[in-house]
RNA sequence: GGAAAGGUGCCAGAGCGGUCGAAUGGGACGGUCUCGAAAACCGUUGUAUGGGCAACUGUACCGAGGGUUCGAAUCCCUCCCUUUCCGCCA
């Protein structure tokens, strides 16, 4: 959520930046400014009247103590009148506050200057590429065939137990998942991230905090009997650890990592790219989250990108890093880098990580603040990224490393898996 | 699921319906002392939002939302949550 004060001071800039994100309703900006002015003057009137009432009530206390009953009664009638006067003001004030808030949460975060212009994924900017596309042996097949051939994943069984998009990993497929999770977590903790195992269900306040609610409600599985949501990413419970807290600047940066399954209803998913592991309702992911001082967030973003990049490199996968254009970015993000790896048999780039700086957008919703060294309290900046999402990594590992004798695992993974080949 | 208790500041923990933003203790921070540290002593230790150049000051906030009252942390109602005991159970 953007800060009203910022919007009021930089109205034109806000509109221009929203346009870059292809946010259509820039008229909301003027509405917010107007509503907030209304809120402010109502607040003034409310406070003024309330101050009179409080003062009079105090006097009544004194008069009663001295036994001056008639005087007290007189003051009481005055207060009654003031209260009648206050009542409609209070009502209007409540409405104005709610209106400002309801408008504010409709605005997406502003894109950073580095964000490329553009509307669709085709406009994303390739920042770097690495690795090289492998020469596949004759008769190379996509991962869903390999998964069957080596008995690693049973998609049909998942259909039976739950439904499509819930694969069952088995044998060395399950073992490889475990190895990847362990490897990713070790890699992250070695870089100073503290490991968490958070709840996989969150309450409304948490889902609101990271921006899943109110707009993206359809994306989450909702346990209505208890009003809890299955997490679409570890970002939700992990970032919410610090909801409503004021840190000391010395405590920053807060670096957290967590492995969790992620659940996505993907309500609006188009029937494309859904084969095999490409798009699932439940998948595993290791996430990294940082809370940092405002001045440092872009520096940290680059650090996180390099961190993820080295991890991808260690898996020996061909990859590219994209800077997302205004139209393709997420609602809450100010700058996002997507990582894609090349799935050689499908001949497709698959997104396996998204690293974003949210600046103070999430922190403002969650009230994550820090007291800086001058003693001033301000909003922290939050960042997160996948490090990494498992299914598509698995798909690439299988496809890119297939040989006639089996699948050769990258050296970094072998000790975790306990073998070289599948 | 049944029964009971309770939700107050960073934590613990007081709080006859009026002067309570809230005692006290601990912690943290600053200072005195010290070669340095500990101890001791002194001081500081809210958030949000208005007004003011500032000093300062108004308002709101004691789980959330309503209500009673001139006045609510204190009384009433609803909801949420926590703890303990019983039941069930990995």
């Amino acid at each position: 959520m953007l800060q009203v004060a910022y919007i009021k001071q930089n109205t034109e800039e806000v509109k221009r930046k929203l346009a870059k994100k292809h946010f259509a309703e820039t008229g909301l900006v003027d509405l917010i400014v107007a509503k907030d002015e209304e809120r402010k003057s109502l607040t003034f009137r409310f406070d003024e009247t309330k101050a009179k009432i409080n003062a009079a009530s105090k006097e009544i206390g004194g008069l009663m103590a001295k036994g001056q009953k008639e005087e007290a009664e007189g003051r009481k009638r005055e207060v009654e009148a003031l209260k009648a006067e206050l009542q409609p003001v209070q009502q209007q004030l409540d409405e104005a506050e709610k209106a400002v808030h309801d408008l504010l949460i409709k605005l997406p975060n502003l894109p950073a200057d580095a964000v490329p212009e553009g509307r669709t994924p085709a406009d994303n900017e390739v920042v770097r590429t690495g690795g090289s596309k492998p020469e596949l042996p004759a008769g190379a097949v996509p991962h869903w065939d390999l998964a069957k051939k080596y008995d690693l994943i049973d998609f049909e069984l998942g259909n039976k137990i739950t439904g499509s998009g819930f694969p069952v990993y088995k044998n060395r497929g399950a073992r490889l998942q475990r190895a990847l999770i362990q490897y990713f977590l070790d890699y992250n903790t070695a870089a100073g991230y503290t490991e968490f195992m958070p709840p996989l269900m969150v309450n409304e306040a948490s889902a609101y905090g990271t921006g899943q609610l109110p707009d993206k409600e359809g994306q989450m599985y909702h346990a209505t009997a208890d009003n809890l949501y299955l997490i679409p990413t570890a970002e939700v419970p992990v970032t919410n650890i610090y909801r409503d807290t004021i840190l000391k600047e010395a405590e920053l940066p807060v670096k957290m990592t967590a492995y969790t399954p992620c659940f996505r209803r993907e309500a609006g998913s188009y029937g494309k790219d859904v084969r095999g592991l490409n798009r699932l309702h439940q998948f595993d992911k290791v996430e990294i989250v940082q809370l940092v001082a405002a001045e440092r967030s872009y520096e940290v973003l680059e650090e996180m990108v390099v961190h993820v990049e080295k991890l991808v490199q260690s898996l020996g996968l061909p990859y590219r890093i994209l800077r997302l254009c205004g139209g393709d970015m997420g609602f809450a993000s100010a700058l996002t880098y997507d990582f894609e790896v090349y799935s050689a048999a499908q001949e497709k780039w698959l997104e396996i990580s998204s690293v974003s700086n949210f600046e103070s957008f999430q922190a403002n919703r969650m009230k994550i603040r820090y007291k800086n060294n001058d003693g001033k309290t301000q909003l922290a900046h939050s960042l997160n990224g996948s490090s990494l999402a498992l299914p598509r990594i698995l798909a690439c590992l299988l496809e890119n490393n297939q040989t006639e004798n089996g699948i050769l695992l990258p050296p970094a993974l072998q000790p975790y898996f306990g073998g070289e080949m599948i």
Side-chain angles (χ1 to χ4, degrees):
Chain A
M1 180 161 73
L2 298 174
Q3 296 178 82
V4 192
Y6 186 86
I7 295 174
K8 287 168 88 171
Q9 282 159 27
N10 307 278
T11 311
E12 291 314 308
E13 180 200 330
V14 168
K15 286 186 198 168
R16 198 178 65 244
K17 289 186 171 175
L18 286 175
K20 186 177 184 182
K21 225 170 178 177
H22 297 277
F23 180 76
E25 304 168 75
T26 44
L28 287 183
V29 176
D30 292 324
L31 246 177
I32 288 168
V33 172
K35 263 292 168 198
D36 193 64
E37 279 305 319
E38 188 186 327
R39 195 217 89 234
K40 206 167 140 180
S41 70
L42 285 164
T43 300
F44 189 78
R45 281 171 59 197
F46 178 87
D47 287 356
E48 219 174 27
T49 311
K50 200 67 210 282
K52 283 186 207 162
I53 292 174
N54 288 345
S57 295
K58 216 170 242 186
E59 279 178 43
I60 291 169
L63 292 169
M64 298 287 269
K66 282 186 260 173
Q68 297 174 295
K69 263 207 143 168
E70 294 92 75
E71 303 223 8
E73 287 304 320
R75 301 295 275 150
K76 278 191 196 181
R77 279 192 295 278
E78 280 177 40
V79 173
E80 292 288 5
L82 285 168
K83 275 171 75 179
E85 196 181 304
L86 187 65
Q87 205 269 339
V89 177
Q90 169 148 31
Q91 199 178 332
Q92 286 171 52
L93 178 58
D94 289 346
E95 282 166 14
E97 280 175 347
K98 186 174 185 305
V100 170
H101 179 264
D102 288 352
L103 289 167
L104 269 180
I105 61 173
K106 288 185 183 171
L107 293 186
N109 201 0
L110 304 177
D113 290 338
V115 169
E117 296 286 346
R119 188 179 283 275
T120 71
D123 300 317
N124 294 337
E125 179 187 319
V126 178
V127 179
R128 283 199 288 283
T129 59
S132 49
K133 297 181 182 176
E135 296 280 330
L136 293 189
V141 294
H143 68 269
W144 48 87
D145 289 333
L146 293 164
K148 189 161 233 166
K149 180 176 173 187
Y150 296 106
D151 198 22
L152 305 175
I153 306 169
D154 193 330
F155 291 99
E156 288 73 27
L157 186 54
N159 290 344
K160 172 185 166 185
I161 300 171
T162 306
S164 73
F166 293 89
V168 177
Y169 300 88
K170 56 193 288 206
N171 297 319
R172 287 164 299 172
R175 185 181 181 84
L176 184 54
Q177 286 287 108
R178 186 154 54 86
L180 285 165
I181 292 163
Q182 181 88 338
Y183 173 49
F184 294 166
L185 283 171
D186 281 355
Y187 176 79
N188 293 338
T189 53
Y193 290 89
T194 303
E195 183 176 343
F196 285 87
M197 266 202 159
L200 304 182
M201 301 182 99
V202 294
N203 56 28
E204 272 185 345
S206 296
Y208 171 82
T210 33
Q212 272 67 36
L213 292 181
D215 291 332
K216 291 186 270 179
E217 178 155 23
Q219 199 182 77
M220 291 185 292
Y221 288 96
H222 187 195
T224 51
D226 298 287
N227 199 24
L228 296 173
Y229 295 88
L230 258 61
I231 57 170
T233 160
E235 167 197 345
V236 180
V238 170
T239 314
N240 271 284
I241 290 171
Y242 284 93
R243 171 153 49 88
D244 289 321
T245 52
I246 301 177
L247 294 148
K248 292 181 196 136
E249 183 156 11
E251 294 176 288
L252 300 176
V254 172
K255 301 172 77 175
M256 301 175 281
T257 186
Y259 151 71
T260 68
C262 302
F263 303 92
R264 303 217 176 151
R265 292 184 68 225
E266 306 279 10
S269 103
Y270 30 93
K272 231 180 116 187
D273 283 353
V274 294
R275 204 106 192 246
L277 295 170
N278 289 349
R279 193 179 214 89
L280 301 170
H281 286 307
Q282 178 182 328
F283 64 97
D284 296 298
K285 182 158 64 65
V286 176
E287 187 81 357
I288 49 176
V289 175
Q290 288 207 41
L291 305 174
V292 306
E295 317 80 59
R296 286 209 60 222
S297 65
Y298 280 96
E299 188 187 326
V300 170
L301 177 65
E302 296 305 318
E303 259 173 50
M304 288 171 75
V305 167
V306 170
H307 175 81
V308 173
E309 184 175 10
K310 286 187 175 153
L311 182 57
V312 175
Q313 283 171 350
S314 78
L315 295 171
L317 299 171
Y319 68 92
R320 64 183 189 188
I321 304 175
L322 307 172
R323 193 182 277 133
L324 297 193
C325 73
D328 198 30
M329 297 172 67
F331 186 80
S333 172
L335 181 59
T336 297
Y337 290 99
D338 268 11
F339 280 69
E340 295 181 338
V341 290
Y342 190 71
S343 196
Q346 295 185 75
E347 300 182 343
K348 258 185 199 153
W349 288 99
L350 302 178
E351 182 193 332
I352 42 96
S353 177
S354 189
V355 184
S356 300
N357 184 0
F358 301 99
E359 296 191 8
S360 60
F361 192 83
Q362 289 183 328
N364 193 26
R365 280 194 174 205
M366 273 185 273
K367 300 285 168 276
I368 302 177
R369 289 155 292 174
Y370 67 100
K371 202 173 278 257
N372 69 20
N373 296 329
D374 301 329
K376 206 183 131 216
T377 301
Q378 63 185 106
L379 291 171
H381 281 195
S382 66
L383 305 97
N384 70 46
S386 342
S387 172
L388 294 159
L390 291 243
R392 294 170 186 166
I393 288 286
L394 185 59
C396 282
L397 284 174
L398 296 179
E399 293 185 11
N400 294 21
N401 300 326
Q402 56 186 304
T403 72
E404 282 162 21
N405 306 318
I407 289 149
L408 180 63
L409 293 175
L413 219 45
Q414 289 173 12
Y416 285 94
F417 182 73
E420 296 177 10
M421 299 278 290
I422 290 181

